[in-house]
Each structure stands twice: as structure tokens, then as C-alpha cells.
Amino acid sequence: MNINKLFSLKGKTILVSGGAGLYGKCIVEGLAEAGGTIIIASRNLAKVVETANQFRNQGYDIYAMQVDQGDHTSVLNLKAEIIKQFGRLDVFINNAVARPMKGYNEPIEHFAESMHINATGSMDILREMCGLIEDSGGGSVINIASMMGMHGPDLSNYDGTDMGWPPPDYFFHRAGLINLTRYLAKIFAGKNIRVNCVSPGGLFNYQPKQFVENYCKKVPVGRMANTDDIKGLMVLLASEAGAYINGQNILMDGGMHA
Ligand SMILES: NC(=O)c1ccc[n+]([C@@H]2O[C@H](COP(=O)([O-])OP(=O)(O)OC[C@H]3O[C@@H](n4cnc5c(N)ncnc54)[C@H](O)[C@@H]3O)[C@@H](O)[C@H]2O)c1
């Protein structure tokens, strides 16, 4: 097949959870530029509608829907709405994340809330959307985890800042998502569904200057991730160009952990 055709997402219906967030917007942009029809969904409908409208004004085929992945009924409603409006789903980017825990010493209830959304909720939306993709004849699922799901925190990145240490729940559920990817790839063997994971490094978002300086010193590429960096990987894994990549976790950290 011609290489442009292999990478094309024309005719594919793609759901991006948390698509109005920091990495979500970059992912949506890349997939839309490759020709996909994108549904962005998260808790805050007004925010996803606003994001969808911004992309539609640029000529992309983008739709907004509401979902709280911590609520099973809400997940089922999203699935029903996708079937009603599009009749199928080809690709699911499992990108949403909630951050109820801010540091190590917070009440354990915050850890439990995080697990409810980021572990149980993530599994719930994955199972429902994988079912829909299977009913549509197959497709691709991409989990967005983090380099923090593969490595312990480098606390020296926070030296000289008042950012505090990163919270423990994040390290727990990002790591779980990476291995759940391998599990799902095996479960869906023979059903034409590929399941992969991308583990990005930190996206530059005007973090404190000292943090950015500490961080960038450790990255061979010499910078934090920018808004273009994740786009190519998303299109590769979502399209036919990635047809023989399955059950993988791809670290995208500029070489920080090489
Ligand atoms: N930002 C980074 O530097 C960075 C680095 C590595 C990995 N990541 C990963 O990228 C992904 C996105 O992170 P981000 O930084 O863009 O986050 P973000 O906070 O900017 O966006 C998260 C999105 O998830 C949505 N969300 C939260 N709870 C939800 C729920 N219960 N139901 C549905 N949607 C919900 C939010 O509304 C938001 O749209 C995550 O998987 C994260 O682990 C981010």
C-alpha cells in the first residue's frame, strides 16, 4: 500500500478521552490533520464543546461528547451516543486522567478517588470501547500512560522549586495501564484489535523556570516535549502504518531514560 494511504485516517471514527486537556489537544490535532473524524469526550461538556468548535473553525471534523469515566452509566451513555451518531468506532485513545492527589502525605481517600477514576474507570471505558471497536470489525486502542509509570521520580528535578514531590497514585495507575495494555493485546488476539501504549515525558506548559532547567539538563534532546512531539506516534499507531505493532509501550521522553 502507498505510504500516504498507510498513514491516512480518512474514514476512521476516533474517540479521544480527555481530548480538551494538555496532551489531548495535541493528540486531537494530529489525528484530525491525518484525516480522522474525532470525538473528544470528558467530564466538562462546555470545555470539550469549546475545543471542538476551535478545531471545527480550522476545518477539521471534530465532535464533542460528555463522559465521566468514574461513572459506569455515563460510560454506557457515551457508547450509546457514539453508536447513535456514528454507528461505529475504529480507534480509542484512552488519554483522560484525574489528579485528585497532589502530594505524598494527602488523605488516603484521595488515593482511593484516583484509583476509582484512573484505574477502575479507565478499565471500564476501555472494556466498553474495545467492545464497540470489536463490533465495528476491529481497530486500534492507544493508552496514554507516562514515563512516570516506568521509572521512579527524579526528585532532583524539583530542587529549588516549591512544586513539592509528585503524588504516588500517578506512579501506581500509569504503571498499571502499561501492563493492562499487554493484557488487552492478548485478550483481543484474533479479533483484529491492536492495543498499544505511549508513555510520554513532560509537556512544556510554562512550569517554573528552575524546574524546566533541572529537567532539560537530563534530556539528550535538550528540552521538554512540545505540542507536535506526540502527533506522529498517534497517527502511526492509529493507522494501517502501525498494523504490525501490538502490545507495546513506547517511551517518548527525548532520551531522558536512555
Ligand atoms: N502533561 C504532561 O506533561 C504529561 C506527561 C506524561 C504523560 N501524560 C499523560 O497524558 C495524558 C493526559 O494528561 P494531561 O497532562 O494532558 O492532563 P490534563 O489534566 O490536561 O487533561 C486530562 C483530561 O482528562 C479529563 N478527565 C479527568 N477526569 C475525568 C473523568 N472522570 N472522566 C472523563 N474525563 C476526565 C479532564 O477533563 C481533562 O480533559 C494522561 O494519560 C497523562 O498521564 C501527561
Side-chain angles (χ1 to χ4, degrees), residues 18 20-24 42-43 67-70 95-99 117 144-146 170 174 200-203:
L22 285 175
Y23 258 126
S42 72
R43 273 177 312 188
V67 71
D68 177 356
Q69 71 178 40
N95 167 73
V97 74
R99 304 177 194 271
I117 298 167
I144 309 298
S146 169
Y170 193 76
R174 295 301 86 182
L203 179 64

Side-chain angles (χ1 to χ4, degrees), residues 17-25 27 41-44 47-48 67-71 94-99 117-118 125 143-148 170 173-174 177 198-205 207 224 230:
S17 66
L22 285 175
Y23 258 126
K25 279 189 192 164
I27 292 168
S42 72
R43 273 177 312 188
N44 186 335
K47 201 168 168 205
V48 276
V67 71
D68 177 356
Q69 71 178 40
D71 174 351
N94 181 30
N95 167 73
V97 74
R99 304 177 194 271
I117 298 167
N118 297 315
I125 195 166
N143 288 318
I144 309 298
S146 169
M147 69 177 189
M148 291 186 180
Y170 193 76
H173 58 69
R174 295 301 86 182
L177 189 57
V198 170
S199 288
L203 179 64
F204 177 67
N205 185 35
Q207 289 92 340
M224 296 190 74
I230 202 166

Side-chain angles (χ1 to χ4, degrees), residues 93-113:
I93 317 292
N94 181 30
N95 167 73
V97 74
R99 304 177 194 271
M101 198 171 198
K102 308 290 180 217
Y104 178 71
N105 281 314
E106 289 203 356
I108 204 63
E109 289 76 13
H110 294 193
F111 189 94
E113 186 189 342

Side-chain angles (χ1 to χ4, degrees), residues 64-66 76-87:
M65 291 187 188
Q66 203 267 340
L76 292 181
N77 288 343
L78 171 68
K79 188 179 176 183
E81 195 56 32
I82 295 171
I83 294 170
K84 191 170 136 202
Q85 287 196 35
F86 300 92

